[in-house]
Amino acid sequence: MKLYLVRHPKPDVKAGLCYGDMDVPLLEGWQTHAQALKASLNLVYDNKKTRCYHSPLSRAALLANHISDGLSQPIDALREMDFGHWEGLCWSEIPRQEMDIWASDIVNENPFQGETLQVVADRVWQWWLSVKDEPMDTCVLVAHSGVIKVLVSLLCEWPLSKCFRIDVDFTSVSEFSIQGEWVSLKRLGAGDWFLNTPEQSNES
C-alpha cells in the first residue's frame, strides 16, 4: 500500500499565531497548489483501491475534497492538537514559564490545559490501526503538521520527543510504502516537487 500524508495549504492568519484546534481560513489562491497536487498524484478515488481521509477542520477538508472530487471521509482523530488556552494567542504572548514546562517534556506536559502530544499520538495511532489492513492500494490522509509528525514518528519508530525536528511544509507530501509490518519512507515533507516543470528545473 502507498500512504500519502498531506498537510493542508497555508492559512490566512497573522504570523506567529497558535492555531492548533482552531478553525482558520485558507489564504486566497490555495486552489492553485491544490490543483497541482491533484494532478501530480493522479489518483482515482473509488473507495476500494484508493481512499482519502481528512481532518474535519476546514483547512484540511477543503484540500481533501478538492483532490478527491468530494469523496474524502472526515476523521475526528486527524484533528490538530488542541492547545487549550494557548489557542488564538501568538507564541510570543504565551508566558515563558508555561513554555518552559512544556519544553521540559513535550510528550506528556500540558501547561495549556489542552491535549498532550501523547494523547494526540494515541488517538491517531488507534485510528490508523483500525484502517491500515482494509483492502486498498493507496491511502491519502490530509491533516496537520502535528498529526503528520506524530504518525511519521510512529510508523518509523522514532521517539515522539524528537518529532518537532520533522519539517512538514504547507501542501507538502510525505510518502510511505507499507507491506504488512514492513514500512519504507519514500519521501518526507516534500512541498514544491509537484510544481516543478522541465522549464523551472533548468532555471538557475
Side-chain angles (χ1 to χ4, degrees):
M1 175 179 64
K2 285 186 177 180
L3 171 64
Y4 295 103
L5 308 180
V6 184
R7 189 183 179 191
H8 61 78
K10 188 174 183 179
D12 188 7
V13 298
K14 61 182 177 181
L17 185 72
C18 176
Y19 58 91
D21 197 36
M22 287 178 59
D23 213 359
V24 294
L26 293 176
L27 278 176
E28 186 177 349
W30 65 269
Q31 296 92 337
T32 301
H33 281 192
Q35 188 58 34
L37 173 61
K38 180 179 180 179
S40 68
L41 293 177
N42 191 29
L43 298 174
V44 176
Y45 297 88
D46 55 9
N47 291 322
K48 293 180 180 180
K49 292 186 177 181
T50 302
R51 299 186 188 181
C52 186
Y53 303 98
H54 65 271
S55 159
L57 297 178
S58 63
R59 59 188 185 270
L62 286 169
L63 177 60
N65 285 312
H66 185 93
I67 66 174
S68 70
D69 296 324
L71 295 178
S72 186
Q73 301 177 43
I75 302 296
D76 197 62
L78 299 179
R79 298 174 71 93
E80 182 59 293
M81 182 174 178
D82 179 3
F83 281 101
H85 65 245
W86 287 2
E87 296 275 352
L89 297 177
C90 286
W91 289 101
S92 60
E93 298 173 327
I94 297 171
R96 182 67 189 184
Q97 182 180 7
E98 293 185 13
M99 289 291 290
D100 288 344
I101 292 173
W102 188 45
S104 69
D105 183 0
I106 67 166
V107 176
N108 300 297
E109 284 291 354
N110 183 15
F112 41 84
Q113 300 302 305
E115 290 182 301
T116 65
L117 190 62
Q118 186 64 60
V119 167
V120 175
D122 289 344
R123 64 169 158 85
V124 171
W125 191 243
Q126 183 177 10
W127 173 78
W128 171 246
L129 292 178
S130 74
V131 300
K132 72 179 185 69
D133 293 326
E134 293 183 4
M136 54 181 161
D137 294 335
T138 304
C139 182
V140 180
L141 306 185
V142 182
H144 309 271
S145 175
V147 171
I148 293 171
K149 290 178 180 182
V150 160
L151 190 50
V152 168
S153 297
L154 293 170
L155 288 169
C156 295
E157 299 185 358
W158 295 342
L160 274 180
S161 61
K162 304 300 182 183
C163 74
F164 65 90
R165 297 183 178 182
I166 300 172
D167 186 14
V168 183
D169 204 357
F170 297 111
T171 325
S172 66
V173 177
S174 296
E175 179 185 354
F176 287 83
S177 177
I178 300 177
Q179 299 293 331
E181 298 301 314
W182 185 78
V183 177
S184 175
L185 177 59
K186 300 295 186 180
R187 178 167 52 209
L188 180 59
D192 59 358
W193 60 273
F194 58 84
L195 296 176
N196 289 336
T197 64
E199 291 78 10
Q200 289 174 317
S201 61
N202 290 330
E203 293 177 357
S204 58

